[in-house]
Amino acid sequence: MSTEPATPDVAEVPRVTTKTLQEMKEAGVPIAMLTAYDYTSARILDRAGTDVLLVGDSASNVMAGNETTLPMTLDHMIYHAQCVVRAIDRSLVVVDLPFGTYQGDSKEALVSAIRVMKEAGAHAVKLEGGQPVVETVERIVTAGIPVMGHLGLTPQSIYNFGTYKVRAREDDEAQALKRDAKRLEEAGCFAVVLEKIPAELAQHVTASLTIPTIGIGAGAGCDGQVLVTHDALGLTTDFNPRFVRHYAELADTITDAVQDYIHDVRERSFPSDAESY
Ligand code: KIV
């Protein structure tokens, strides 16, 4: 098997845009997306070559320690997005519109999206839902703001679902999801996240759309994949669904490093003369 990267030309792209993602889908090049919430991490993820950085409202869980994403405000999201945007050279930065900032009506949604673009310098927004948000998507897109959709297990609706189980296993929900995906594409979304749905359904939706799909717990048939960075790097220790692959065990690495530091402080072996003035 070749160890050459499959996509040397994509790595050379100086700035990933929504057009780049479209070209990647057409060329069959998988899109790599990760979440980011702060300057230091975003700088590392950008320099490592991540195509899309999602300032996700999962910041509510992994940064703020909330049980759900619902408490995030637009001001919180704008703060995190500003930190990420300052860090990046190449990645496309997509920012979640948080719960309660776009569901009211499409005018309110547009005002929220404009704040994210103006105050954070983001490149696109993401919002959750199908048919009920179609008019909103159209309005935001008409204003020149790229929109990413999000279907399947949409965490802002957790109290409606009542559980984080896989969505759209039943035929009626699967058919509705297919229709929603098509409507989001027609409304002007440049991509759509498919979260925690059967792989076969995600593959079908991916084949039926001209825009890219980005999967999380939706199998390998999507045009790209997204993970919450804290999960992928093993920083979250109490969240282990089967769709998460750990690419590092940073919680262990950090614990070891901190214990070494504590040891050296107690022993007075830190700081040394060379580390002093
Ligand atoms: O907020 C988030 O991190 C997300 C991803 C899980 C897709 O929406």
Side-chain angles (χ1 to χ4, degrees):
M1 207 174 77
S2 166
T3 52
E4 282 293 299
T7 60
D9 48 343
V10 170
E12 297 306 314
V13 169
R15 269 260 182 208
V16 176
T17 65
T18 56
K19 191 163 170 278
T20 314
L21 303 187
Q22 187 61 45
E23 287 166 357
M24 289 172 79
K25 172 161 181 137
E26 283 157 21
V29 178
I31 297 160
M33 171 161 134
L34 283 168
T35 62
Y37 320 99
D38 70 281
Y39 174 85
T40 304
S41 312
R43 201 154 177 79
I44 295 169
L45 301 180
D46 177 71
R47 289 183 173 180
T50 317
D51 301 310
V52 184
L53 293 186
L54 172 66
V55 183
D57 58 0
S58 52
S60 183
N61 310 102
V62 298
M63 300 300 289
N66 293 313
E67 198 179 322
T68 73
T69 58
L70 274 62
M72 288 310 269
T73 66
L74 199 56
D75 286 339
H76 290 146
M77 293 307 298
I78 289 170
Y79 169 74
H80 286 295
Q82 287 168 337
C83 299
V84 169
V85 167
R86 274 182 216 120
I88 58 103
D89 290 325
R90 176 181 173 274
S91 309
L92 182 81
V93 179
V94 181
V95 180
D96 264 335
L97 291 185
F99 178 68
T101 66
Y102 63 94
Q103 291 94 342
D105 61 45
S106 62
K107 194 171 165 198
E108 177 203 24
L110 178 59
V111 171
S112 302
I114 288 174
R115 277 199 64 197
V116 168
M117 301 300 281
K118 256 189 185 310
E119 295 177 37
H123 307 145
V125 297
K126 174 165 86 57
L127 49 81
E128 299 182 3
Q131 178 59 37
V133 298
V134 162
E135 190 206 324
T136 290
V137 170
E138 281 167 351
R139 191 159 189 164
I140 298 175
V141 169
T142 304
I145 300 171
V147 179
M148 179 179 274
H150 186 158
L151 294 172
L153 179 63
T154 45
Q156 291 177 14
S157 302
I158 190 57
Y159 290 119
N160 194 21
F161 297 145
T163 156
Y164 283 99
K165 281 194 192 134
V166 177
R167 303 304 309 176
R169 279 200 194 277
E170 305 300 328
D171 191 54
D172 54 347
E173 195 178 335
Q175 296 308 328
L177 189 142
K178 288 180 196 171
R179 285 194 298 275
D180 281 344
K182 205 68 205 157
R183 284 180 186 138
L184 290 177
E185 170 169 287
E186 286 161 5
C189 279
F190 70 89
V192 59
V193 167
L194 300 176
E195 179 162 355
K196 226 171 168 189
I197 62 169
E200 206 181 316
L201 173 61
Q203 192 165 13
H204 177 96
V205 171
T206 300
S208 73
L209 298 183
T210 58
I211 57 171
T213 59
I214 314 281
I216 174 163
C222 295
D223 296 306
Q225 298 294 328
V226 57
L227 283 175
V228 169
T229 297
H230 289 56
D231 299 337
L233 298 184
L235 278 164
T236 41
T237 50
D238 46 4
F239 181 67
N240 292 300
R242 68 192 256 189
F243 67 79
V244 170
R245 185 180 294 179
H246 282 196
Y247 287 88
E249 297 297 345
L250 290 194
D252 294 343
T253 306
I254 292 171
T255 302
D256 289 348
V258 170
Q259 286 176 345
D260 285 350
Y261 167 72
I262 293 168
H263 172 270
D264 290 354
V265 170
R266 300 261 196 272
E267 294 279 300
R268 296 190 187 280
S269 62
F270 175 80
S272 65
D273 287 347
E275 288 159 335
S276 305
Y277 298 97

